[in-house]
Amino acid sequence: MFWLMRYSSSVLLLLLLSLFWIASDASILFQGGTVIAFDEATESLQVLRDNSVLVTNDRIAAIFSSSSNATLPQDIEAVDITGKILSTGFIDTHRHGWQTAFKTIGSNTSLAEYFGRYGEFALAVQQYTPEDVYIGQLAGLYEALNAGVTTTLDHAHHTWSVETAAAGLAASIESGGRVFWCYTFHNIPNNFSVPQQMANFRNIASNGSFKNTSTSLGIAYDSFDSSDRNQTSAVIALAREYNVSVVTTHSLQGPWGGINDPEDVQSFDFLNTSIPIVFSHGSFITASQAQLLRQTNQYISITPESEMHYGHGHPTSHLIQDQAALGVDTHFTFSTDILTQARIWLQHARQVFYQDVLDDWHIPRNNPESVNQAFLLATRHGGLALRRSDLGVLAVGAKADLLVWNGNSPSLLGWDDPVAAIILHANVGDIEHVLVDGKFKKRDGKLVVEDYPAVQQRFLRSARRIQQVWREYPLPVLQGQFASGCDYADTMTADTLRGPGNGYGETFV
């Protein structure tokens, strides 16, 4: 994979020349920047200053010093990245793309409230049309691409009809992002049964509209803990029959109950499989469950902002970061970008490790988690979770999913360490270019989308209607016990005002 970086400079130059001369007009040369590369031998990042990267078709063809005197043919597009940072794109291992139209109306919601208001078991089944699903999915994926998320694992629980399933898949393909679109099998409150869903899945898989695109077919399933083992076995058989790209499941433990935990999946002898299985959240994961993931090389997706916003919690996730990647979850309630998730998670993990020392009345001597580790969680670990060694790394032979960062932006001006610059200082506005499969999806700070204003207006028509319906829909009454058997209870409400009142205020929707 990385053989090209190991030759002497003279041999390297000859190899590069041969590559250049056979390059097609799909080749792009990024010249003279700081490259955050990945070294497979040491499984670590490498910072290569004043380097160039050749992209041919959908792959990274070469990485070399800009001082190499290579003669380039006329048909290579050269992009000057002097003073800029070139990195691999971010990988989001958990998202529900169709929900974009809910943006800002769930700003103070909790997870228990979400289940009765925003998920697939609530009003959406009756109110969302295929058009709403399509344009919400498309606008949400464009939002992610703009933020440097080049790969998305989409837990597509908009599959409550043949038409809505087709709409979400079509939007995923249309977006041009790398989407692992996971058809959800669920016992939803309409007449679209799981057997009907399976027939629909077979038609989609056989039709193959996603073939030769950057979208691939996976499965999402949240009933591994169900008493209906025959149904679960049928879903697993389907996954194996079509050798799907990934299987994903929401996994919560602790007071939420034992929902789709690793033991549930292993009871079907399904962890020891060539198919990657991503456990979203893994909240309250136990030591034995973590060990089971290590033994079978399966991953959890930590969604830091989501788990803080909704109250899932992640009290033990910092102990399983060797089998973890990062995700966003419901982007309508908070940030859509993995950069924010990496930053939040890094500082949370640091605080947890620091606290162990402080609780013993000692003074921490070292910083317990590095920016390199956070960067890898946001990139390389996503590729590992999907068992795609060619994703989440900038290396010869890897997919050309790339970001170019403006090193002279106000937030990055004066940077020296490019990894620290991105993880601790950058914002998504600093991303000048985004490429997926060697094709520009964002260029010079703007999405490369044909007639994007028309897409915006189409989305706004859908969103305004949906938001009006949800404004008039009463909030769920949370009394008695949650499905796990745990009682509902009120949290302490923060007080941010001096004197009377607490400043909580209203939501402006």
Side-chain angles (χ1 to χ4, degrees):
M1 184 70 73
F2 310 105
W3 53 271
L4 196 52
M5 299 178 67
R6 298 195 180 112
Y7 283 90
S8 67
S9 58
S10 59
V11 175
L12 175 60
L13 183 57
L14 291 173
L15 289 168
L16 288 171
L17 284 168
S18 65
L19 278 171
F20 290 152
W21 284 109
I22 64 171
S24 70
D25 58 4
S27 293
I28 305 170
L29 182 68
F30 294 94
Q31 291 180 306
T34 296
V35 177
I36 304 176
F38 182 77
D39 183 352
E40 186 178 39
T42 61
E43 294 192 4
S44 63
L45 299 174
Q46 285 186 322
V47 171
L48 308 174
R49 301 180 193 274
D50 191 20
N51 262 239
S52 296
V53 173
L54 175 66
V55 171
T56 300
N57 297 323
D58 63 338
R59 299 279 173 175
I60 297 170
I63 305 170
F64 58 98
S65 172
S66 298
S67 61
S68 300
N69 296 318
T71 302
L72 307 180
Q74 295 298 314
D75 57 0
I76 286 184
E77 178 183 1
V79 178
D80 184 6
I81 57 170
T82 303
K84 300 175 183 181
I85 301 168
L86 183 65
S87 76
T88 186
F90 294 118
I91 297 180
D92 176 1
T93 54
H94 182 59
R95 180 182 291 254
H96 305 293
W98 64 273
Q99 295 178 319
T100 314
F102 292 143
K103 189 171 289 183
T104 76
I105 67 174
S107 59
N108 297 324
T109 193
S110 66
L111 184 59
E113 185 178 281
Y114 169 91
F115 287 138
R117 187 168 176 82
Y118 299 109
E120 77 268 38
F121 298 105
L123 192 60
V125 173
Q126 289 79 39
Q127 292 294 332
Y128 259 74
T129 68
E131 164 68 7
D132 295 325
V133 170
Y134 173 85
I135 199 63
Q137 180 86 350
L138 186 62
L141 289 171
Y142 283 156
E143 181 186 6
L145 284 166
N146 181 68
V149 179
T150 53
T151 296
T152 297
L153 195 170
D154 190 63
H155 187 127
H157 52 19
H158 56 76
T159 52
W160 53 75
S161 72
V162 170
E163 294 77 16
T164 57
L169 175 58
S172 300
I173 296 169
E174 176 68 19
S175 76
R178 189 175 306 286
V179 182
F180 289 76
W181 185 79
C182 295
Y183 189 108
T184 302
F185 298 105
H186 40 185
N187 295 296
I188 46 179
N190 66 5
N191 294 322
F192 196 47
S193 67
V194 171
Q196 289 173 309
Q197 293 164 31
M198 289 183 175
N200 182 215
F201 176 89
R202 288 183 180 278
N203 287 336
I204 290 172
S206 300
N207 173 271
S209 61
F210 53 89
K211 293 179 181 178
N212 300 316
T213 75
S214 52
T215 294
S216 58
L217 186 62
I219 284 176
Y221 186 65
D222 285 341
S223 296
F224 286 103
D225 59 324
S226 168
S227 59
D228 190 347
R229 293 183 65 84
N230 289 333
Q231 175 182 284
T232 303
S233 295
V235 170
I236 291 172
L238 202 62
R240 286 179 165 145
E241 178 183 351
Y242 287 95
N243 192 29
V244 295
S245 60
V246 63
V247 170
T248 188
T249 184
H250 289 104
S251 181
L252 298 171
Q253 289 77 40
W256 299 105
I259 303 174
N260 302 307
D261 60 42
E263 288 98 338
D264 290 329
V265 180
Q266 184 62 0
S267 71
F268 292 90
D269 193 27
F270 192 44
L271 284 184
N272 289 306
T273 175
S274 61
I275 299 172
I277 301 172
V278 177
F279 293 82
S280 302
H281 310 303
S283 299
F284 294 87
I285 192 167
T286 66
S288 60
Q289 291 165 356
Q291 190 58 25
L292 186 54
L293 293 181
R294 291 186 178 109
Q295 290 169 353
T296 56
N297 194 26
Q298 305 289 6
Y299 278 66
I300 68 168
S301 174
I302 301 171
T303 62
E305 199 169 2
S306 164
E307 291 150 14
M308 294 177 177
H309 173 103
Y310 284 118
H312 304 62
H314 38 227
T316 55
S317 299
H318 61 289
L319 301 174
I320 185 62
Q321 292 185 78
D322 54 318
Q323 296 290 149
L326 298 180
V328 169
D329 197 10
T330 60
H331 64 292
F332 74 89
T333 37
F334 33 72
S335 312
T336 195
D337 60 290
I338 288 295
L339 174 59
T340 297
Q341 309 312 317
R343 188 172 296 164
I344 289 175
W345 179 254
L346 172 64
Q347 305 298 19
H348 166 76
R350 284 174 168 176
Q351 188 275 329
V352 171
F353 288 123
Y354 277 139
Q355 199 63 47
D356 285 342
V357 176
L358 294 169
D359 286 345
D360 290 334
W361 287 43
H362 294 150
I363 301 300
R365 182 181 290 117
N366 63 299
N367 191 309
E369 188 150 345
S370 73
V371 293
N372 288 16
Q373 290 172 309
F375 185 88
L376 289 169
L377 284 169
T379 56
R380 165 70 166 170
H381 280 225
L384 292 174
L386 296 166
R387 296 190 178 173
R388 287 289 299 272
S389 61
D390 60 343
L391 299 181
V393 294
L394 202 165
V396 174
K399 283 285 191 178
D401 297 352
L402 301 171
L403 310 180
V404 176
W405 302 78
N406 178 6
N408 288 325
S409 71
S411 56
L412 293 182
L413 189 65
W415 64 273
D416 187 24
D417 181 338
V419 181
I422 291 172
I423 293 297
L424 295 179
H425 299 278
N427 62 71
V428 298
D430 298 326
I431 303 174
E432 287 190 356
H433 309 314
V434 176
L435 289 87
V436 176
D437 269 346
K439 301 180 181 67
F440 282 97
K441 302 303 175 183
K442 179 181 182 180
R443 188 158 195 175
D444 298 324
K446 294 182 179 180
L447 285 169
V448 182
V449 176
E450 184 177 354
D451 201 2
Y452 184 56
V455 174
Q456 291 174 302
Q457 291 305 311
R458 184 176 172 184
F459 168 73
L460 287 173
R461 287 193 295 271
S462 169
R464 295 302 176 238
R465 183 190 70 80
I466 289 169
Q467 290 168 1
Q468 181 59 37
V469 170
W470 261 257
R471 273 194 293 269
E472 298 171 357
Y473 187 58
L475 294 173
V477 177
L478 304 177
Q479 294 180 338
Q481 294 182 330
F482 184 67
S484 65
C486 289
D487 294 334
Y488 289 110
D490 291 327
T491 66
M492 177 180 176
T493 301
D495 186 349
T496 61
L497 286 183
R498 288 169 55 86
N502 59 26
Y504 199 88
E506 61 182 299
T507 54
F508 300 101
V509 297

